[in-house]
Amino acid sequence: MDITIHTSVLPHDDPDASLAFYRDALGFEVRSDVGQGRMRWITVGPVGQPDTSILLAPPAADPGVTEDERRTIAEMMAKGTYGWILLATRDLDGTFEKVQARDAEVVQEPTEQPYGIRDCAFRDPAGNLIRIQELR
């Protein structure tokens, strides 16, 4: 089999703030932006990697999601426990500085972890945890 990871999905509750974070703070390119108002599906991805994307989507747009589930999703997003993603860079310190300069919520400064990885962490505007590992 020849399977690749093409797109991962993260929720958003403010498409403009999420777009600004992924485009301006992380430097991702915008590949598509469809819908209107808060019901927008925005695809972003790293420059030079057209086959890898993140879809920023309204989390409860599926008509099969109940009101109770919508409340649970909103609560989990507010706590930052609903979505997360791991990214990687060769220049962790430079990346951290650039993202922090955009007033992103810092969860953890660059740290050498006891399990052998050096990383940092931010929250995006929807509360998703964005961990960035250093490639060595």
Side-chain angles (χ1 to χ4, degrees), residues 3 9 37 58 63 65 91 94 118 123 135:
I3 298 174
V9 179
V65 175
D91 180 12
R118 185 167 183 264
R123 290 223 185 273
L135 293 173

Side-chain angles (χ1 to χ4, degrees), residues 35-58:
Q36 59 187 1
R38 297 180 83 73
M39 296 301 280
R40 286 168 52 198
W41 287 259
I42 304 165
T43 304
V44 298
V47 174
Q49 297 179 46
D51 295 332
T52 304
S53 299
I54 298 172
L55 173 62
L56 306 170

Side-chain angles (χ1 to χ4, degrees), residues 42-104:
I42 304 165
T43 304
V44 298
V47 174
Q49 297 179 46
D51 295 332
T52 304
S53 299
I54 298 172
L55 173 62
L56 306 170
D62 186 320
V65 175
T66 68
E67 283 308 312
D68 285 343
E69 291 167 334
R70 280 183 174 73
R71 276 192 296 281
T72 299
I73 290 168
E75 290 168 4
M76 291 179 72
M77 286 177 65
K79 290 188 333 187
T81 59
Y82 188 71
W84 57 283
I85 195 165
L86 298 174
L87 304 175
T89 182
R90 294 202 182 282
D91 180 12
L92 185 65
D93 294 317
T95 299
F96 178 81
E97 299 276 326
K98 287 178 185 171
V99 176
Q100 184 183 33
R102 291 289 189 165
D103 294 325

Side-chain angles (χ1 to χ4, degrees), residues 8-44:
S8 293
V9 179
L10 287 175
H12 74 70
D13 54 5
D14 182 337
D16 291 324
S18 291
L19 179 60
F21 176 81
Y22 287 91
R23 182 193 57 216
D24 303 336
L26 292 180
F28 286 179
E29 63 186 6
V30 178
R31 304 210 173 124
S32 69
D33 184 347
V34 298
Q36 59 187 1
R38 297 180 83 73
M39 296 301 280
R40 286 168 52 198
W41 287 259
I42 304 165
T43 304
V44 298

